[in-house]
Amino acid sequence: MQARSYPWRLSRGRALLLQGGVLLALLALLAWCWHNASLRLAAQGVSSGFGFLQREAGFAIAETPIAWSPADTYLRALGIGLLNTLKVSLPALLLASALGVAVGIALGAQSRLWRRLARGYVESLRNVPLLLQLFVWYGVFSALPPPRQAPQLLPGVFLSGRGLLLPAPLADLRWLWLAGAALLAVGLAWALYRRRWPLPVLLPLPPLAAVGSWWALGAPPLWSLPVLGGFNFHGGLLLSPEFAALGCGLAFYSASYIAEIVRGGIDAVPAGQREAGLALGLRRAELMRLIVLPQALRVMLPPLAGQYLSLIKNSSLAVAIGYPDLVSIANTAINQTGQAISGILLIMLAYLSVSLVVAALMAWWNRRLLQRGEA
Amino acid sequence: MRRPRPFDVLALLLLAAAGWALWGWAVREAVWAGDAAACRAAGGACWAFIGEKWRLMLFGLYPPAEQWRAALAVLLSVAFVAACVRWRRAWPLGWLGLLALDYALLAGGFLGLSAVPVAQWGGLPLTLLLTVSGVGGGLPLALLLALGRRSRLPLLRLLAGGYIELIRGVPLVSVLFMAAVMFPLLLPPGWVLGKLLSTQLALALFVAAYLAEAIRGGLQAIAYGQYEAAAALGMRHGTALATVILPQALRIALPALTGIAIGTFKDTSLVVIIGLFDLMTATRAALGDPRWLGFSLEAYLFAALVYGVLSWSLSLAGRQLEKR
């Protein structure tokens, strides 16, 4: 790795001695901790290990993406926790990225007003703990009016204190037809885009194809709309106040960090690139989309990967507002069974695997970007 | 100057509308003094609530008669940061003195100061104490980890790298839970580690992994000639590290280190989850008073202001420190 030899030499014997000493000290510490833990666990009558995972959990979970009853095992409860973590992290990632890019562009805008506004957003969100922001969001979402007075934002979209209601797609095979038609239209649009057809003509093609094939199928009902009946809603998709608060809190907080990354990336694009684009007669929006952002993306990707990872890790703050994510369910399991060591190990294992997958995906994207630049 | 565009006008209008609404809520219709009934009757913000509860939020359950000690501990921390800007060499070791002073002031029990049990410490002094012990306590471990990760001895590299990646891969919440439920298990029967102490230990262990990566960045930026020059002057390895390499590496790493310190300051709010009485928990406790229900926005704004002003000053101090 290093071409030149290091000025200080350590004799082979000393190197071995040093490493052996460190290893021995570490092993001794671990053995001591292990010994103490086994003494304490024996006193409490808890047998450590992972056997408890197959036992009946016996607690209720507020939000379950897959079927759940208290008679199910701890293993399934932890699985639900992991799914809930991913369920809130992925939409928050998308929202944070979109918002972060917009604010990041505004940070470098020509207009001083927009620059100031964006700077104000970034500074005020970055300097306040995420947890505090989550409490505020949770307060807002749970203070919304009860279902009977809930305002309807769009047809089928309600804001109520029980949660945010959206139309939900029904499980229906005819969705496949629509998806197929839309995919075909995307392929066609891509081919035409290569032949320099204008985007405003091409972009409506896929949605038009989907709506057209829906019409051709006889306009069947494919959505379940929330309907007010009695004191609550029926049908539709209910996003709980906890989910909405956690998602919004994570997204708006991370967006302030992503905005700085985007601004840094844009600043790193040489001014000559913009000038060349302007000289070619590109408009500002085209300049941003075709010249600046693609080059800025290469600078942005490594720090962006770190930001995505920290968003996923921050989703563990869920426990403070009662959203049943992995850490909060594992914590309940630890409190019930006393299996502290196994529980903590499982949490760490789960987050490490998620981190590794995200890191690998981002590294793959980074490699692709760099390769495309060299061609 | 360029011609204003429709978007600018729109933003200006929206800003003016938002400003007017905020003015109405926070100033025109606000209640500055009185009780909860007066607040409920008015439509605006209830600053009377803050007037009633600021002591609880800032100092927790610390005895009111001894409150000046808690306030002095906060002032000392602020003064420490300011002193670091003036005397740059002070920070790597000065935090130890600060920690000792803060501890002594809060605990008391000497020179006629009455003793205050740890369970009554709370609010902003506790938040700052956690921050100082997290960053300061993490620093020595971080130095070892950063040097270990760049070592030519494979075992040290493996251990340091493994520790750093493991800690950076898991959320702080899980490390705090570990401190709360696992640390007590690892000690011999009969030994008790207080909640505050085990949280401080966990924070230091967590922050060290992040600090180590920042320091490693600084070490990597040192030109190789610096090592050769130190060796040519006949310095031993340790002397070269302490007098030539590390001072430069720490200076290069300073912006990243400041960022981590600010992050730690904000992250101490997570101790809410394990029930330590810091600024965040104290704010929540103030909200729980049944006579004053429903003024959470005011309380959170107040807490946000305290956090915001302090972390903003910290970043300002960091920038000043870089300039010198």
Side-chain angles (χ1 to χ4, degrees), chain B residues 22-313:
Chain B
L22 191 66
W23 171 263
W25 179 76
V27 181
R28 210 180 48 232
E29 290 170 35
V31 177
W32 297 88
D35 58 0
C39 278
R40 294 213 177 80
C46 180
W47 301 123
F49 175 60
I50 305 296
E52 175 89 9
K53 295 286 181 192
W54 67 270
R55 189 211 298 275
L56 175 62
M57 285 196 247
L58 283 185
F59 300 113
L61 302 173
Y62 209 77
E66 305 293 326
Q67 196 172 294
W68 61 273
R69 281 156 57 185
L72 190 59
V74 171
L75 278 181
L76 274 176
S77 308
V78 174
F80 171 70
V81 172
C84 285
V85 175
R86 178 74 184 75
W87 296 283
R88 209 177 59 208
R89 289 283 166 86
W91 67 267
L93 281 180
W95 66 269
L96 261 180
L98 176 68
L99 201 60
L101 264 176
D102 275 0
Y103 247 106
L105 259 178
L106 289 175
F110 63 94
L111 286 181
L113 293 178
S114 62
V116 179
V118 178
Q120 290 184 13
W121 301 7
L124 192 55
L126 190 66
T127 292
L128 292 174
L129 195 65
L130 287 171
T131 311
V132 174
S133 53
V135 177
L139 207 59
L141 179 59
L143 271 178
L144 290 180
L145 285 171
L147 291 173
R149 206 171 186 186
R150 284 182 42 86
S151 164
R152 283 168 307 149
L153 305 178
L155 185 72
L156 297 191
R157 224 166 36 226
L158 186 78
L159 287 176
Y163 178 83
I164 291 172
E165 292 308 325
L166 178 76
I167 294 294
R168 278 161 43 98
V170 299
L172 176 57
V173 174
S174 70
V175 177
L176 288 178
F177 272 140
M178 187 170 86
V181 300
M182 210 165 116
F183 281 4
L185 280 182
L186 302 181
L187 292 174
W191 291 23
V192 182
L193 193 64
K195 203 190 219 171
L196 176 62
L197 215 56
S198 56
T199 307
Q200 283 176 306
L201 188 61
L203 264 175
L205 288 175
F206 182 80
V207 175
Y210 288 83
L211 290 172
E213 282 298 87
I215 296 174
R216 184 170 71 112
L219 284 172
Q220 277 175 353
I222 306 274
Y224 193 71
Q226 297 284 332
Y227 290 88
E228 284 177 334
L233 286 173
M235 286 187 183
R236 297 166 60 90
H237 192 179
T239 320
L241 275 181
T243 59
V244 179
I245 308 298
L246 281 179
Q248 298 186 63
L250 286 181
R251 189 161 67 216
I252 296 171
L254 200 58
L257 294 178
T258 317
I260 295 170
I262 295 172
T264 309
F265 172 63
K266 289 188 297 168
D267 280 348
T268 53
S269 59
L270 300 199
V271 299
V272 142
I273 291 163
I274 52 170
L276 223 50
F277 216 87
D278 77 323
L279 177 57
M280 192 74 236
T281 316
T283 306
R284 304 268 294 165
L287 291 177
D289 185 343
R291 284 173 303 154
W292 291 87
L293 286 180
F295 304 112
S296 55
L297 197 55
E298 288 86 342
Y300 286 138
L301 271 178
F302 178 72
L305 196 71
V306 176
Y307 275 114
V309 165
L310 282 174
S311 53
W312 180 78
S313 330

Side-chain angles (χ1 to χ4, degrees), chain A residues 107-233:
Chain A
L107 276 175
Q110 278 194 321
S111 142
R112 189 193 297 173
L113 180 65
W114 281 102
R115 267 202 322 264
R116 288 266 168 87
L117 277 178
R119 179 53 54 197
Y121 173 88
V122 169
E123 293 297 329
S124 53
L125 267 81
R126 257 198 344 183
N127 283 326
V128 174
L130 172 59
L131 188 64
L132 204 157
Q133 299 182 29
L134 283 183
F135 284 139
V136 173
W137 280 106
Y138 187 51
V140 169
F141 276 108
S142 36
L144 289 171
R148 297 192 73 156
Q149 288 112 41
Q152 186 167 16
L153 294 186
L154 293 166
V157 179
F158 292 89
L159 273 178
S160 87
R162 300 265 176 90
L164 182 65
L165 280 132
L166 300 172
L170 290 173
D172 190 318
L173 278 181
R174 280 172 292 194
W175 276 109
L176 287 180
W177 287 100
L178 267 65
L183 265 181
L184 272 179
V186 167
L188 179 70
W190 183 249
L192 293 175
Y193 179 73
R194 280 295 163 94
R195 298 185 182 201
R196 317 224 156 250
W197 281 48
L199 267 185
V201 179
L202 296 177
L203 281 182
L205 274 184
L208 272 181
V211 172
S213 56
W214 175 67
W215 200 260
L217 283 173
L222 291 176
W223 294 93
S224 140
L225 292 177
V227 182
L228 190 63
F231 289 101
N232 210 343
F233 286 100

Side-chain angles (χ1 to χ4, degrees), chain A:
Chain A
M1 213 163 72
Q2 275 178 353
R4 287 187 277 185
S5 72
Y6 205 58
W8 293 278
R9 291 275 171 84
L10 207 58
S11 73
R12 215 177 158 69
R14 278 190 169 190
L16 278 178
L17 204 66
L18 185 58
Q19 299 186 71
V22 169
L23 190 64
L24 216 62
L26 210 62
L27 285 180
L29 182 69
L30 281 179
W32 184 66
C33 288
W34 184 257
H35 174 71
N36 293 335
S38 53
L39 280 184
R40 293 225 177 196
L41 287 175
Q44 289 172 12
V46 177
S47 64
S48 73
F50 294 95
F52 76 99
L53 287 176
Q54 298 303 331
R55 294 216 304 268
E56 186 183 310
F59 56 85
I61 300 179
E63 257 174 89
T64 52
I66 53 175
W68 168 258
S69 84
D72 285 327
T73 59
Y74 280 108
L75 187 63
R76 195 177 174 86
L78 291 173
I80 286 178
L82 184 58
L83 284 178
N84 275 337
T85 292
L86 296 177
K87 186 177 106 181
V88 75
S89 300
L90 294 182
L93 274 182
L94 293 178
L95 187 57
S97 308
L99 201 63
V101 170
V103 177
I105 291 175
L107 276 175
Q110 278 194 321
S111 142
R112 189 193 297 173
L113 180 65
W114 281 102
R115 267 202 322 264
R116 288 266 168 87
L117 277 178
R119 179 53 54 197
Y121 173 88
V122 169
E123 293 297 329
S124 53
L125 267 81
R126 257 198 344 183
N127 283 326
V128 174
L130 172 59
L131 188 64
L132 204 157
Q133 299 182 29
L134 283 183
F135 284 139
V136 173
W137 280 106
Y138 187 51
V140 169
F141 276 108
S142 36
L144 289 171
R148 297 192 73 156
Q149 288 112 41
Q152 186 167 16
L153 294 186
L154 293 166
V157 179
F158 292 89
L159 273 178
S160 87
R162 300 265 176 90
L164 182 65
L165 280 132
L166 300 172
L170 290 173
D172 190 318
L173 278 181
R174 280 172 292 194
W175 276 109
L176 287 180
W177 287 100
L178 267 65
L183 265 181
L184 272 179
V186 167
L188 179 70
W190 183 249
L192 293 175
Y193 179 73
R194 280 295 163 94
R195 298 185 182 201
R196 317 224 156 250
W197 281 48
L199 267 185
V201 179
L202 296 177
L203 281 182
L205 274 184
L208 272 181
V211 172
S213 56
W214 175 67
W215 200 260
L217 283 173
L222 291 176
W223 294 93
S224 140
L225 292 177
V227 182
L228 190 63
F231 289 101
N232 210 343
F233 286 100
H234 302 286
L237 177 68
L238 174 72
L239 302 180
S240 67
E242 292 84 11
F243 175 88
L246 186 60
C248 285
L250 284 172
F252 281 84
Y253 179 76
S254 301
S256 68
Y257 283 87
I258 293 179
E260 279 291 0
I261 295 174
V262 170
R263 186 193 56 87
I266 290 177
D267 280 354
V269 176
Q273 294 284 329
R274 290 158 184 274
E275 287 157 15
L278 284 177
L280 285 173
L282 293 180
R283 274 172 290 148
R284 294 224 153 260
E286 287 174 327
L287 188 70
M288 201 40 108
R289 184 169 55 82
L290 297 172
I291 310 279
V292 178
L293 279 184
Q295 298 188 65
L297 197 58
R298 292 160 150 224
V299 185
M300 281 156 47
L301 260 192
L304 204 57
Q307 206 48 57
Y308 283 176
L309 286 176
S310 78
L311 188 150
I312 295 176
K313 282 184 283 169
N314 278 337
S315 72
S316 58
L317 298 194
V319 67
I321 55 171
Y323 176 77
D325 82 317
L326 177 63
V327 174
S328 112
I329 288 185
N331 190 43
T332 312
I334 289 174
N335 285 338
Q336 284 197 0
T337 60
Q339 297 285 356
I341 297 177
S342 316
I344 298 281
L345 282 180
L346 282 174
I347 296 179
M348 294 197 159
L349 196 70
Y351 274 98
L352 280 179
S353 345
V354 171
S355 296
L356 280 180
V357 169
V358 173
L361 278 177
M362 295 301 276
W364 170 78
W365 190 12
N366 198 19
R367 249 196 332 273
R368 249 193 47 160
L369 265 185
L370 291 180
Q371 277 167 2
R372 204 162 46 182
E374 278 159 13

